Amino acid sequence: MLRALRRCRPGPVPLPALPPALGPGLGPGLGPGLCPAWAPRAVPVRGRKTRHDPPAKSKAGRVKLPPPVDPEELLVVLERYRQHRLVLSALRAEFRAEVLQRQREERLAAGGSAEELEEHRRLMAWNEEQNARQRARREERLRKEEEEQKRRKLEIAEKQARKMEAFLEEKEKEVLQLQEEAKNFITPENLEARIEECLDNPRNYNFAIDKDGRIVKRTVLS
């Protein structure tokens, strides 16, 4: 529509040649090949689909998905935005306090009251003293918390070290026990001797026991 309106010109605009059958149908007051001054040129315009038209065949099965977001990058960006907002809020509060302090001093100075100015200075000094006291208490509390945290970390490290030492001792005992048991393992070197020993000392495991674990009946080896 805008392209068509840009092509409008004041004055008569020539039209393309029409067939002789359509020439007299332009209406009274118009010559053949002329149009009124407000008429735009005959420009082909692409039509747009309405909301009721179906989607194109090439886009019938398309599913619009949001762009992928990296979780790690999102966390970094959110953390940086949070820090940025904190810094801006602190700067705004500082500037607001300075402006209010300046306005208060100007108002006291304009009032011409020496007593009010002295009272204000005394209160500001008391405020600074209280702030210094609270700062010292806060620093002491933070120092104690840091020492407590270091002590807890040291205790946890010592506990982990003791646990690891006990674990290593247990594993060492298991290794030594396995080494002792390995002396009785059947190997290709002592296989013949073990076979001869089993044949010379036969054992009968076909027996019955009572509730106390005593053997009450045993079959005789054939």
mmCIF file of all heavy atoms in Angstrom, residues 138-148:
data_model
loop_
_atom_site.group_PDB
_atom_site.id
_atom_site.type_symbol
_atom_site.label_atom_id
_atom_site.label_comp_id
_atom_site.label_asym_id
_atom_site.label_seq_id
_atom_site.Cartn_x
_atom_site.Cartn_y
_atom_site.Cartn_z
ATOM 1 N N ARG A 138 30.672 -5.022 64.080
ATOM 2 C CA ARG A 138 30.473 -5.877 62.907
ATOM 3 C C ARG A 138 31.781 -6.529 62.479
ATOM 4 O O ARG A 138 31.813 -7.719 62.138
ATOM 5 C CB ARG A 138 29.876 -5.052 61.773
ATOM 6 C CG ARG A 138 29.583 -5.869 60.519
ATOM 7 C CD ARG A 138 28.845 -5.055 59.484
ATOM 8 N NE ARG A 138 29.602 -3.918 59.023
ATOM 9 C CZ ARG A 138 29.352 -2.659 59.356
ATOM 10 N NH1 ARG A 138 28.361 -2.372 60.185
ATOM 11 N NH2 ARG A 138 30.084 -1.666 58.899
ATOM 12 N N GLU A 139 32.874 -5.749 62.488
ATOM 13 C CA GLU A 139 34.164 -6.327 62.122
ATOM 14 C C GLU A 139 34.587 -7.411 63.108
ATOM 15 O O GLU A 139 35.133 -8.445 62.711
ATOM 16 C CB GLU A 139 35.207 -5.216 62.050
ATOM 17 C CG GLU A 139 35.004 -4.257 60.878
ATOM 18 C CD GLU A 139 36.012 -3.128 60.891
ATOM 19 O OE1 GLU A 139 36.800 -3.061 61.870
ATOM 20 O OE2 GLU A 139 35.999 -2.312 59.945
ATOM 21 N N GLU A 140 34.321 -7.198 64.396
ATOM 22 C CA GLU A 140 34.652 -8.212 65.387
ATOM 23 C C GLU A 140 33.823 -9.473 65.181
ATOM 24 O O GLU A 140 34.333 -10.604 65.269
ATOM 25 C CB GLU A 140 34.412 -7.643 66.790
ATOM 26 C CG GLU A 140 34.751 -8.596 67.907
ATOM 27 C CD GLU A 140 36.235 -8.873 68.014
ATOM 28 O OE1 GLU A 140 37.034 -8.097 67.445
ATOM 29 O OE2 GLU A 140 36.599 -9.878 68.656
ATOM 30 N N ARG A 141 32.537 -9.268 64.901
ATOM 31 C CA ARG A 141 31.675 -10.427 64.661
ATOM 32 C C ARG A 141 32.118 -11.193 63.417
ATOM 33 O O ARG A 141 32.172 -12.430 63.420
ATOM 34 C CB ARG A 141 30.223 -9.968 64.511
ATOM 35 C CG ARG A 141 29.248 -11.084 64.177
ATOM 36 C CD ARG A 141 27.829 -10.556 64.188
ATOM 37 N NE ARG A 141 27.667 -9.420 63.317
ATOM 38 C CZ ARG A 141 27.465 -9.510 61.992
ATOM 39 N NH1 ARG A 141 27.443 -10.704 61.416
ATOM 40 N NH2 ARG A 141 27.308 -8.427 61.266
ATOM 41 N N LEU A 142 32.457 -10.453 62.353
ATOM 42 C CA LEU A 142 32.921 -11.126 61.136
ATOM 43 C C LEU A 142 34.236 -11.855 61.368
ATOM 44 O O LEU A 142 34.458 -12.944 60.821
ATOM 45 C CB LEU A 142 33.077 -10.098 60.007
ATOM 46 C CG LEU A 142 31.780 -9.477 59.491
ATOM 47 C CD1 LEU A 142 32.092 -8.413 58.452
ATOM 48 C CD2 LEU A 142 30.858 -10.531 58.904
ATOM 49 N N ARG A 143 35.120 -11.264 62.198
ATOM 50 C CA ARG A 143 36.393 -11.923 62.493
ATOM 51 C C ARG A 143 36.156 -13.223 63.255
ATOM 52 O O ARG A 143 36.761 -14.257 62.951
ATOM 53 C CB ARG A 143 37.291 -10.980 63.291
ATOM 54 C CG ARG A 143 38.681 -11.525 63.558
ATOM 55 C CD ARG A 143 39.482 -10.537 64.386
ATOM 56 N NE ARG A 143 38.841 -10.307 65.679
ATOM 57 C CZ ARG A 143 38.964 -11.134 66.718
ATOM 58 N NH1 ARG A 143 39.687 -12.250 66.626
ATOM 59 N NH2 ARG A 143 38.368 -10.856 67.860
ATOM 60 N N LYS A 144 35.249 -13.186 64.244
ATOM 61 C CA LYS A 144 34.942 -14.401 64.997
ATOM 62 C C LYS A 144 34.297 -15.455 64.104
ATOM 63 O O LYS A 144 34.622 -16.655 64.206
ATOM 64 C CB LYS A 144 34.023 -14.067 66.164
ATOM 65 C CG LYS A 144 34.687 -13.253 67.252
ATOM 66 C CD LYS A 144 33.730 -13.004 68.409
ATOM 67 C CE LYS A 144 34.397 -12.197 69.524
ATOM 68 N NZ LYS A 144 33.463 -11.944 70.652
ATOM 69 N N GLU A 145 33.401 -15.023 63.222
ATOM 70 C CA GLU A 145 32.780 -15.984 62.306
ATOM 71 C C GLU A 145 33.812 -16.602 61.384
ATOM 72 O O GLU A 145 33.759 -17.808 61.088
ATOM 73 C CB GLU A 145 31.681 -15.290 61.504
ATOM 74 C CG GLU A 145 30.456 -14.914 62.324
ATOM 75 C CD GLU A 145 29.410 -14.218 61.479
ATOM 76 O OE1 GLU A 145 29.690 -13.972 60.281
ATOM 77 O OE2 GLU A 145 28.316 -13.925 62.009
ATOM 78 N N GLU A 146 34.759 -15.788 60.914
ATOM 79 C CA GLU A 146 35.807 -16.325 60.039
ATOM 80 C C GLU A 146 36.681 -17.320 60.791
ATOM 81 O O GLU A 146 37.039 -18.383 60.259
ATOM 82 C CB GLU A 146 36.650 -15.177 59.502
ATOM 83 C CG GLU A 146 37.691 -15.598 58.479
ATOM 84 C CD GLU A 146 38.450 -14.432 57.914
ATOM 85 O OE1 GLU A 146 38.152 -13.287 58.310
ATOM 86 O OE2 GLU A 146 39.345 -14.663 57.073
ATOM 87 N N GLU A 147 37.041 -17.005 62.044
ATOM 88 C CA GLU A 147 37.841 -17.946 62.839
ATOM 89 C C GLU A 147 37.065 -19.233 63.102
ATOM 90 O O GLU A 147 37.629 -20.333 63.029
ATOM 91 C CB GLU A 147 38.233 -17.284 64.159
ATOM 92 C CG GLU A 147 39.231 -16.140 64.012
ATOM 93 C CD GLU A 147 39.563 -15.499 65.344
ATOM 94 O OE1 GLU A 147 38.952 -15.927 66.358
ATOM 95 O OE2 GLU A 147 40.424 -14.603 65.371
ATOM 96 N N GLU A 148 35.759 -19.099 63.416
ATOM 97 C CA GLU A 148 34.951 -20.297 63.633
ATOM 98 C C GLU A 148 34.857 -21.143 62.378
ATOM 99 O O GLU A 148 34.925 -22.381 62.426
ATOM 100 C CB GLU A 148 33.553 -19.878 64.100
ATOM 101 C CG GLU A 148 32.615 -21.032 64.407
ATOM 102 C CD GLU A 148 33.042 -21.834 65.613
ATOM 103 O OE1 GLU A 148 33.841 -21.312 66.423
ATOM 104 O OE2 GLU A 148 32.576 -22.984 65.755
#
